[in-house]
Amino acid sequence: MTPTILLQAAGPGGIPVQTIVMFGLIFVVFYFFMIRPQVKKQKDQKKFVTELKKGDKVVTTSGIHGRVVEVGDTIVTVDVDNGVKLRFHKSHISLDATKEYNAATTTKA
């Protein structure tokens, strides 16, 4: 009985319209659940990095916490302790970790 069902399922040559529609729906789902959020996150990170200013509390991608002392075109100088300053590339400042860090410091104060 199973071979009969499988033989009935096979249609004539060519791609049926249902298959094309299914692939289209899969692409739409991938776009809205995977591609679009990633692009939005990248835009937010780029905006955050371009708007860095002196005095902002930041966290680097390696987990170093500090306060921005100087902002250049591509380099940010961060004061991590009393007088200890480190230079980082702007792309190494983490938006998500900085949000968490700033939220944690404002709730403690």
Side-chain angles (χ1 to χ4, degrees), residues 1-106:
M1 179 153 171
T2 305
T4 309
I5 293 173
L6 292 176
L7 289 174
Q8 290 175 354
I15 299 176
V17 175
Q18 292 175 342
T19 306
I20 294 172
V21 170
M22 186 59 88
F23 278 121
L25 290 174
I26 290 172
F27 176 76
V28 168
V29 168
F30 270 104
Y31 177 76
F32 280 106
F33 287 107
M34 297 179 84
I35 299 170
R36 189 169 178 237
Q38 185 66 29
V39 170
K40 185 179 184 297
K41 186 176 179 180
Q42 288 173 346
K43 283 182 183 178
D44 291 344
Q45 176 70 22
K46 187 174 182 179
K47 180 181 176 191
F48 169 73
V49 167
T50 57
E51 293 177 350
L52 277 175
K53 61 187 178 300
K54 185 176 178 179
D56 287 347
K57 293 179 183 177
V58 295
V59 181
T60 64
T61 54
S62 59
I64 298 175
H65 298 245
R67 186 178 301 271
V68 175
V69 177
E70 182 182 336
V71 179
D73 290 338
T74 58
I75 302 293
V76 176
T77 305
V78 178
D79 184 15
V80 294
D81 198 18
N82 297 333
V84 178
K85 297 176 184 172
L86 300 174
R87 294 174 52 185
F88 294 97
H89 196 273
K90 278 187 173 182
S91 64
H92 292 271
I93 305 294
S94 172
L95 169 63
D96 296 332
T98 300
K99 284 181 181 178
E100 293 173 12
Y101 174 63
N102 289 335
T105 56
T106 56

